[in-house]
Amino acid sequence: MYSRHSSRALSIDIRRCSTPEPLGLQTLERTGLIHLVDDVVISKAVSLSKPNPAIYHLSLEPLQVDAADAWFVGDSPRNDVWGPQQVGLRAAYLPTGHPIGLERPDAVLHDLRDVLNLV
């Protein structure tokens, strides 16, 4: 989740899949974006999974912005494009091997650092 609502307003929703939870944080460290992170929502910790609309709303709460003013960034067409769009978020797709079907992202990123060009 990404929004430029304040000087430091980047909220990331990290979902634990088959990889350890720290993997998402390590990716942010490697790309130099970790200093922009204000909040982390881990689905296992909140007992919600994407594409349940509640997890997107929960990710928005700390930012205090409307869904239309934020971006959801991810690599899963269903969970990170279709799901967020159902609650009014704009979705940026980062291709990593999950092919796009009927989903239509609002933006396609080539690198995670491209998130800085969204707003």
Side-chain angles (χ1 to χ4, degrees):
M1 186 93 57
Y2 178 69
S3 169
R4 282 209 182 154
H5 182 66
S6 68
S7 60
R8 259 189 88 226
L10 177 61
S11 176
I12 305 292
D13 166 30
I14 298 175
R15 178 179 180 214
R16 181 177 178 187
C17 296
S18 59
T19 56
E21 292 166 5
L23 183 61
L25 295 176
Q26 290 169 359
T27 300
L28 291 169
E29 288 172 356
R30 188 178 67 250
T31 57
L33 298 173
I34 192 70
H35 70 284
L36 298 172
V37 174
D38 289 332
D39 190 46
V40 175
V41 175
I42 299 171
S43 63
K44 184 175 181 182
V46 297
S47 300
L48 295 168
S49 295
K50 299 180 286 181
N52 182 333
I55 197 162
Y56 307 112
H57 291 294
L58 184 65
S59 297
L60 278 169
E61 285 176 15
L63 291 176
Q64 298 179 345
V65 297
D66 293 328
D69 295 327
W71 285 87
F72 198 93
V73 179
D75 67 348
S76 168
R78 179 168 169 74
N79 294 337
D80 302 328
V81 175
W82 179 84
Q85 288 174 335
Q86 300 312 297
V87 299
L89 285 158
R90 292 174 288 173
Y93 174 64
L94 181 64
T96 62
H98 303 284
I100 287 281
L102 298 176
E103 301 85 4
R104 294 293 167 247
D106 299 293
V108 177
L109 308 178
H110 301 286
D111 182 279
L112 186 57
R113 289 171 286 240
D114 291 343
V115 69
L116 299 174
N117 300 319
L118 289 177
V119 182

